Amino acid sequence: SQWGEENLQALSIQEGEDVTMNCSYKTYTTVVHWYRQDSGRGPALIILIRSNEREKRSGRLRATLDTSSQSSSLSITAAQCEDTAVYFCATANTGYQNFYFGKGTSLTVIP
Amino acid sequence: GPKVLQIPSHQIIDMGQMVTLNCDPVSNHLYFYWYKQILGQQMEFLVNFYNGKVMEKSKLFKDQFSVERPDGSYFTLKIQPTALEDSAVYFCASSPPGTNTEVFFGKGTRLTVV
């Protein structure tokens, strides 16, 4: 399996709070993708962080990558109700042009 | 933005019958994927496809599964025969070359085997 400690988990927070989701992976990757999946839809990329980047920001999103510990995190600042979704991280196998998804975090933001 | 279209959105089929799931990938993409997701669970990789060939397949890609993209048209996943455990949502995806690019997903086809 590509994955280590990440398990499907459910988080419930109040609107306006900050939240961080973590994932760890077992095999080498040059990039970590973070996707969100809304109910009844396919995943959509929200942020991508390369192995030569330690941090990447996009609006209220912040991704980090620590290649030495093979872990990545996604933080959302001042969460809003529309952030309610399942968030997945995915690593890439460059040899096969393939992407492996972790189990995801189901985030619910309560108004 | 670019869209991956999947047809149909829901299909119900009797166990043991054949089913073909159709995907219309983004037009200039070269890599195609199928993922399986059971409700509330992880996206599980099934297979990826490039230049008319399967590049990699997972253990979930049983002998009853096959993929093809005849004449550059739909990218299809065929299951023959189907089993009850094949019930899931199947997502098709496509991407340009390189792993630093976005993978675009369709909305999925919900397959129910009865």
Side-chain angles (χ1 to χ4, degrees):
Chain A
S1 169
Q2 183 85 345
W3 295 97
E5 301 170 5
E6 187 193 12
N7 294 302
L8 176 64
Q9 60 176 322
L11 291 177
S12 185
I13 62 172
Q14 295 289 328
E15 195 170 30
E17 291 182 348
D18 300 341
V19 63
T20 296
M21 292 163 275
N22 298 296
C23 74
S24 59
Y25 54 92
K26 291 200 283 190
T27 59
Y28 174 77
T29 187
T30 59
V31 62
V32 172
H33 295 215
W34 282 92
Y35 286 80
R36 68 173 278 168
Q37 184 178 23
D38 295 291
S39 180
R41 309 292 292 268
L45 181 71
I46 54 174
I47 198 166
L48 179 158
I49 183 166
R50 298 178 177 83
S51 57
N52 62 350
E53 301 172 309
R54 293 188 62 83
E55 178 181 291
K56 187 81 167 286
R57 291 180 184 267
S58 176
R60 293 183 295 106
L61 304 177
R62 173 178 172 261
T64 66
L65 178 59
D66 184 341
T67 53
S68 61
S69 64
Q70 295 188 305
S71 62
S72 178
S73 71
L74 174 71
S75 299
I76 303 176
T77 303
Q80 301 171 4
C81 291
E82 52 263 37
D83 295 326
T84 294
V86 178
Y87 293 83
F88 295 97
C89 58
T91 58
N93 179 327
T94 54
Y96 288 103
Q97 174 83 19
N98 201 0
F99 301 88
Y100 304 96
F101 284 77
K103 291 188 177 181
T105 297
S106 177
L107 177 67
T108 301
V109 182
I110 302 168
Chain B
K3 291 189 186 298
V4 173
L5 301 176
Q6 290 189 242
I7 304 165
S9 59
H10 191 184
Q11 188 147 3
I12 301 173
I13 196 155
D14 292 327
M15 183 177 62
Q17 296 298 305
M18 180 193 76
V19 68
T20 300
L21 307 183
N22 295 302
C23 171
D24 188 10
V26 177
S27 61
N28 61 345
H29 286 180
L30 299 178
Y31 291 85
F32 313 110
Y33 315 82
W34 282 103
Y35 288 83
K36 176 182 179 181
Q37 187 179 42
I38 294 173
L39 185 63
Q41 297 187 21
Q42 184 178 2
M43 295 278 290
E44 302 273 11
F45 165 71
L46 286 176
V47 65
N48 64 346
F49 190 86
Y50 168 74
N51 197 26
K53 298 176 186 174
V54 169
M55 295 180 66
E56 186 186 9
K57 55 186 179 181
S58 74
K59 293 178 183 178
L60 294 178
F61 194 78
K62 303 179 295 184
D63 291 342
Q64 298 91 323
F65 288 38
S66 62
V67 291
E68 63 177 356
R69 194 184 186 213
D71 301 323
S73 59
Y74 284 155
F75 177 50
T76 63
L77 173 66
K78 183 186 294 185
I79 309 175
Q80 181 178 25
T82 51
L84 294 176
E85 59 264 29
D86 296 330
S87 294
V89 180
Y90 290 84
F91 289 96
C92 174
S94 69
S95 72
T99 53
N100 289 333
T101 60
E102 181 173 357
V103 180
F104 291 85
F105 285 82
K107 293 183 178 181
T109 293
R110 180 176 299 279
L111 176 66
T112 302
V113 181
V114 297

